[in-house]
Amino acid sequence: MGGASSFFAMLAISAFLFAIWTMGKISKAMGISSIVLELAMGLVLGPGIAGLLPKELSVCVKQHLVDCNTEYGQMKIAEKDTEYCDLGAYLDKDMYAPGMHYAEGFFGNVTSVTLKGHVYHLDGSHDDDGDGDHRRLAGGGNAGKTDYDSYSDCLKEQCFYKQAMECATVPDIFTLTGHIGVAM
């Protein structure tokens, strides 16, 4: 942000805060709790409905950096191996790409994939390097779990989960202000 866009951002924030302040005054005149109308106005003017505030200021920065609906965003989760989604478990339970050929699954038309040093054979062939099982018995986060209908669904949902957790630890300025207001 810079130049004219900064001016419009400051103008939008000022208008937003003025609207919230006005709702507080109106609610006092009506004899109801100010929080009700302030929250309603915040919801209406926020990014979900009217979008008065720029998303850079009102939405968690992690949601700008990674789009969980894209292959790139989901690949970041796949690269973590069993920490979020256990490819080996989905392959063992034939849930990698249920009802479809393996080439239609997340990794496309490849026969094997290597994640964190583990080789996974998507085409159903066996482990030829003789090292046996590809999963650890402990410490893998979601090792052995198949909580979603397919591996692709797991990657997408776990990407959204990771985003939510990261956004909860680094809130945007309005969330932080709201938390301070509630604490007072």
Side-chain angles (χ1 to χ4, degrees), residues 52 68 108 137 150 176 183:
L52 176 66
C68 290
L137 293 176
S150 70
L176 187 61

Side-chain angles (χ1 to χ4, degrees), residues 92 117-121 125-136:
D92 290 345
H118 299 128
V119 177
Y120 298 97
H121 299 278
S125 64
H126 295 290
D127 196 6
D128 295 331
D129 57 6
D131 67 355
D133 196 14
H134 56 271
R135 290 192 312 267
R136 298 183 306 266

Side-chain angles (χ1 to χ4, degrees), residues 12-109:
I13 291 169
S14 298
F16 180 80
L17 293 174
F18 179 75
I20 299 297
W21 178 79
T22 303
M23 288 298 112
K25 295 295 181 186
I26 291 172
S27 65
K28 274 190 176 182
M30 294 172 58
I32 61 173
S33 174
S34 64
I35 194 77
V36 175
L37 289 181
E38 289 170 351
L39 279 173
M41 184 56 66
L43 290 173
V44 170
L45 295 179
I49 299 176
L52 176 66
L53 296 174
K55 288 197 183 278
E56 295 87 15
L57 301 174
S58 59
V59 177
C60 175
V61 70
K62 298 294 182 183
Q63 294 173 337
H64 294 288
L65 298 176
V66 177
D67 181 3
C68 290
N69 292 313
T70 64
E71 183 179 348
Y72 174 79
Q74 294 171 21
M75 183 59 82
K76 292 292 184 188
I77 299 298
E79 290 170 350
K80 301 286 186 181
D81 199 16
T82 59
E83 186 176 337
Y84 291 101
C85 297
D86 186 354
L87 177 57
Y90 279 91
L91 289 170
D92 290 345
K93 294 182 181 177
D94 200 27
M95 294 174 64
Y96 169 67
M100 298 185 290
H101 188 265
Y102 77 90
E104 296 176 55
F106 178 75
F107 292 105
N109 196 19

Side-chain angles (χ1 to χ4, degrees), residues 147-159:
D147 295 335
Y148 300 94
D149 292 336
S150 70
Y151 183 68
S152 294
D153 291 346
C154 179
L155 293 175
K156 185 176 183 178
E157 292 303 318
Q158 288 296 313
C159 181

